Amino acid sequence: MKTRVLTVDPEHPAPDALAEAARILRAGGLVAFPTETVYGLGANALDADALARIYEAKQRPANDPIIAHIARVEQLDQLARDIPPAARALADAFWPGPMTLILHRRPDCPIARLTSAGLDRIALRVPAHEGARQLLQHFAGPVAAPSANPSGRISPSTAKHVLDGLDGRLDLVLDGGSCESGLESTIIDCTGEIARLLRPGGITREAVAAALATANCNPQIDIAEPLADHENPVAPGQLTSHYAPKAAVRLMAITSTADEELIGFGAVSGAGELALNLSPSADLVEAAANLFSILHAVDAADIAKIAIAPIPDTGLGEAINDRLRRAAAPR
Ligand code: TXA
Ligand code: MG
């Protein structure tokens, strides 16, 4: 398969590029597109064959479900049932944005079962990225999209990252430049009594708790334990080894050994060949935005060992440290 690339203005994508992307989605093809978090590998969420192509292109385990992206908050009620007040509060507070809600699917929900890997719960997100929103509007239906990388590898924050991993395995890449936040969405399971954090992400746990409290919902948030392998399809996002660069990863490093490339943060500056630093000013937003680009740069430079400076575990640091722990986990 030949993968085409169309360059688009992320704020004002050309209507003919959107029309072409929507046409490919309708025909069951795969289109990678930028969101405010990372690039997604999109397919028509109602089309099981198209979904199967995503699993094949990414070599994704069949029990790992996929987020359905929708254009408008109002579509929630057509797809999910028994939506608790906490889920409405989070949708109100954070949609459009980097927030994914896990909900019970309605019996008549048209989303293909393969999207949710056969589970009776669906993952929904309204992205904030203008280009992504316009694509969803043009297509006029839910778009299933995991991050556009081979399964288990680093998420893509540029079109080049997408092509590095998946060239020839998808029909089209809409190249809208770098993703703004660079961390995937926060995933909250709203199917139980208490909200459960399945994946820390672009919206901090503190912000989630505050939104729940403001809406008079229980602000308590349970944490899902990471799983060691693909055996349990209940919380499949929680695999310990994920986001893996090719290099071996050592965390909490203040200095590096002779054969390591040090990735700095704040005052701990990257002393290696590439002089990498997630954020010289110790800004967690900047570090989040740089994280996947720096890991991709390390991959591209064929570096065998990296050491990464400590990152505070507050705010966005929780999601950054989650990704770093997975990058460092035994494979
Ligand atoms: O920011 C994001 O969320 C990006 C952009 C493209 O939207 N998407 C993304 O998708 O990161 P993906 O597939 O790489 O990660 C989604 C995670 C997976 O770990 C998956 O297991 C989990 O969400 N997930 C999806 N549906 C689920 C469900 N029904 N129940 C539990 N976990 C689910
Ligand atoms: Mg992913």
Side-chain angles (χ1 to χ4, degrees):
M1 182 192 292
K2 175 109 178 65
T3 300
R4 287 161 58 212
V5 179
L6 289 176
T7 303
V8 293
D9 180 328
E11 291 294 319
H12 306 283
D16 55 344
L18 294 174
E20 177 59 4
R23 186 194 64 75
I24 292 171
L25 292 175
R26 264 178 233 116
L30 303 185
V31 176
F33 60 97
T35 79
E36 72 277 26
T37 59
V38 298
Y39 274 74
L41 179 61
N44 179 356
L46 312 189
D47 180 345
D49 291 346
L51 259 297
R53 281 185 202 113
I54 290 187
Y55 283 95
E56 192 186 329
K58 281 184 58 106
Q59 298 282 298
R60 185 179 178 97
N63 62 6
D64 195 357
I66 295 174
I67 300 169
H69 296 71
I70 53 179
R72 289 175 301 108
V73 180
E74 296 75 53
Q75 285 164 281
L76 195 55
D77 290 278
Q78 295 151 26
L79 304 171
R81 68 173 163 86
D82 303 328
I83 302 166
R88 300 225 184 253
L90 296 179
D92 281 350
F94 300 117
W95 280 357
M99 163 64 63
T100 296
L101 301 177
I102 309 286
L103 294 159
H104 293 292
R105 58 184 284 147
R106 276 174 66 119
D108 59 353
C109 174
I111 290 178
R113 289 252 166 209
L114 199 49
T115 304
S116 46
L119 300 175
D120 65 355
R121 289 163 310 152
I122 46 172
L124 298 174
R125 168 160 117 81
V126 179
H129 187 281
E130 193 49 38
R133 275 159 64 82
Q134 291 192 25
L135 175 62
L136 291 170
Q137 275 156 15
H138 256 76
F139 176 62
V143 171
S147 52
N149 52 281
S151 186
R153 313 293 319 186
I154 308 157
S155 286
S157 50
T158 66
K160 181 179 179 300
H161 297 159
V162 175
L163 292 171
D164 285 350
L166 296 175
D167 195 10
R169 296 172 163 263
L170 73 166
D171 298 279
L172 178 67
V173 181
L174 291 180
D175 181 352
S178 298
C179 298
E180 199 180 307
S181 117
L183 270 182
E184 301 90 340
S185 59
T186 300
I187 304 182
I188 305 281
D189 182 347
C190 299
T191 60
E193 291 282 299
I194 295 170
R196 205 157 65 107
L197 179 66
L198 294 190
R199 178 176 73 184
I203 292 168
T204 64
R205 180 217 303 259
E206 294 87 337
V208 173
L212 291 173
T214 302
N216 289 321
C217 297
N218 182 354
Q220 191 184 336
I221 300 168
D222 273 357
I223 309 291
E225 282 300 310
L227 300 176
D229 55 35
H230 291 84
E231 277 165 30
N232 184 349
V234 174
Q238 306 303 108
L239 309 174
T240 42
S241 170
H242 210 85
Y243 309 100
K246 290 177 211 143
V249 179
R250 184 167 69 87
L251 303 180
M252 306 292 283
I254 304 291
T255 56
S256 54
T257 59
D259 60 344
E260 285 174 335
E261 176 81 32
L262 180 63
I263 298 179
F265 177 81
V268 179
S269 51
E273 225 177 290
L274 304 175
L276 300 168
N277 196 317
L278 287 164
S279 170
S281 62
D283 174 357
L284 289 169
V285 176
E286 183 185 29
N290 284 336
L291 176 64
F292 292 142
S293 293
I294 286 186
L295 293 179
H296 276 283
V298 164
D299 264 5
D302 272 331
I303 287 164
K305 289 185 180 179
I306 54 178
I308 305 182
I311 313 286
D313 213 22
T314 52
L316 276 184
E318 183 180 11
I320 297 172
N321 282 322
D322 169 78
R323 305 305 186 271
L324 290 177
R325 269 193 303 276
R326 289 162 201 262
R331 305 177 190 158

